[in-house]
């Protein structure tokens, strides 16, 4: 039977209390206070950028953006205080490398951004949201390093890009690209030449094709990418397709969003 020396037990308890007290020392509390201010600023930026996405009905909103910005700030900011790690009682001097943390953050945020990109036929959605999530993470890194002025400017530029540039894009000369999906009854589908001429009559050139045939449904499916060649009539096209006897169903949508 092993006996515990009373004096040894008291010494171990005292050392444990000293270790725990080191995490609540004045120096540690000051460091935590600085980190808290960083996190509060990051949360405000994330909520601000996320509200723009929430307002436009996107899946990634205020909570996602706030969490991304706060996490990026936290993982970057703690690298500025290596002497305070583990209650300031590291066995050997700690050398931090924020660039390695930043590299890992950018890689991880890339996977998160890829998750909000959706491809439906020729239509791609979520690219702007993915880019803004990546930018929010970068702003969080800047806040964590301590460049507050740069972070504010980056936030203002990001908000301008997400809110104002959409209207500017519509105002500037540009080409309109649409994705058209048409399902024809078997044997009634038009030829490629006829379909091209039909689309040109509505003001569109056919850029790309995709064919699909269903033997079970006896239907022929066209997937087209259309680009406006001048004045175009999407409303008239929709009315004509809805009234065509050979068309089973159709879908017309922007090819990017």
């Amino acid at each position: 039977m092993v006996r515990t020396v009373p004096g040894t037990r008291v010494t171990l308890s005292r050392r444990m209390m000293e270790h725990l007290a080191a995490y609540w020392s004045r120096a540690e509390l000051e460091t935590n206070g600085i980190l808290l201010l960083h996190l509060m600023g990051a949360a405000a930026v994330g909520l601000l950028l996320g509200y723009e996405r929430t307002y436009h009905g996107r899946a990634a909103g205020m909570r996602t953006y706030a969490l991304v910005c706060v996490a990026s700030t936290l993982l970057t900011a703690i690298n500025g205080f290596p002497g305070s790690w583990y209650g300031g009682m590291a066995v050997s001097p700690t050398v931090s490398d924020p660039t390695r943390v930043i590299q890992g953050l950018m890689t991880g945020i890339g996977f998160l951004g890829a998750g909000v990109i959706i491809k439906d036929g020729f239509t791609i959605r979520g690219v702007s949201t993915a880019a803004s999530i990546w930018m929010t993470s970068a702003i969080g890194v800047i806040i964590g390093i301590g460049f507050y002025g740069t972070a504010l400017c980056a936030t203002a530029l990001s908000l301008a890009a997400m809110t104002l540039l959409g209207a500017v894009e519509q105002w500037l000369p540009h080409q309109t690209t649409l994705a058209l999906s048409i399902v024809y009854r078997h044997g009634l589908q038009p030829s490629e030449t006829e379909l091209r001429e039909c689309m040109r009559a509505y003001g569109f050139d056919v850029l790309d094709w995709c064919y699909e045939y269903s033997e079970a449904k006896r239907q022929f499916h066209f997937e087209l990418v259309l680009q406006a060649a001048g004045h175009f009539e999407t409303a008239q096209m929709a009315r004509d397709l809805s009234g065509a006897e050979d068309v089973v169903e159709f879908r017309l949508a922007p090819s990017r969003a």
Side-chain angles (χ1 to χ4, degrees):
M1 182 175 180
V2 180
R3 295 182 179 180
T4 303
V5 180
T8 304
R9 184 185 304 171
V10 173
T11 302
L12 289 175
S13 299
R14 183 179 300 148
R15 291 181 60 186
M16 289 178 60
M17 294 302 296
E18 290 176 354
H19 277 279
L20 291 175
Y23 286 91
W24 298 98
S25 65
R26 180 173 181 177
E28 290 292 317
L29 291 176
E30 290 176 353
T31 301
N32 279 274
I34 295 173
L35 291 175
L36 178 60
L37 293 176
H38 280 71
L39 299 185
M40 291 175 63
V45 169
L47 291 172
L48 184 62
L49 293 173
Y51 174 71
E52 190 277 336
R53 295 285 88 185
T54 299
Y55 179 79
H56 289 92
R58 301 297 189 263
M62 297 175 69
R63 291 180 297 176
T64 302
Y65 281 70
L67 289 173
V68 165
C69 197
V70 168
S72 300
T73 299
L74 177 62
L75 294 177
T76 307
I78 60 174
N79 280 271
F81 305 93
S84 299
W85 292 359
Y86 311 111
M89 296 181 297
V91 177
S92 59
T94 305
V95 179
S96 63
D97 185 2
T99 59
R100 300 172 68 179
V101 175
I102 294 171
Q103 181 181 4
L105 282 171
M106 293 296 101
T107 302
I109 294 301
F111 284 100
L112 179 61
V116 302
I117 299 176
I118 301 173
K119 185 176 186 298
D120 181 13
F122 290 110
T123 302
I124 300 176
R125 301 182 182 276
V127 177
S128 296
T129 299
S132 59
I133 289 176
W134 195 81
M135 183 62 180
T136 302
S137 177
I139 294 174
V141 169
I142 294 300
I143 295 174
I145 294 175
F147 294 131
Y148 306 119
T150 303
L152 290 175
C153 291
T155 302
L157 291 173
S158 300
L159 286 174
M162 295 162 65
T163 57
L164 301 179
L165 289 186
V168 173
E169 285 181 339
Q170 296 298 321
W171 178 74
L172 292 173
H174 65 283
Q175 293 180 321
T176 301
T177 307
L178 301 176
L180 175 61
S181 173
I182 312 178
V183 179
Y184 287 96
R185 291 183 173 86
H186 178 62
L188 299 179
Q189 70 273 10
S191 65
E192 179 178 335
T193 302
E194 291 173 337
L195 197 54
R196 284 184 180 274
E197 292 178 353
C198 179
M199 294 298 106
R200 192 170 290 112
Y202 294 109
F204 291 97
D205 289 330
V206 179
L207 298 182
D208 207 350
W209 295 77
C210 179
Y211 304 95
E212 183 180 349
Y213 174 68
S214 173
E215 180 65 31
K217 297 182 179 179
R218 305 286 291 176
Q219 294 175 348
F220 202 90
H221 188 186
F222 284 99
E223 291 276 357
L224 309 176
V225 176
L226 307 177
Q227 187 176 80
H231 177 70
F232 54 91
E233 294 285 349
T234 53
Q236 185 62 44
M237 182 196 300
R239 286 193 294 267
D240 293 344
L241 290 175
S242 62
E245 295 182 357
D246 55 346
V247 176
V248 178
E249 63 182 51
F250 73 93
R251 180 174 182 268
L252 184 64
S255 63
R256 64 183 180 88

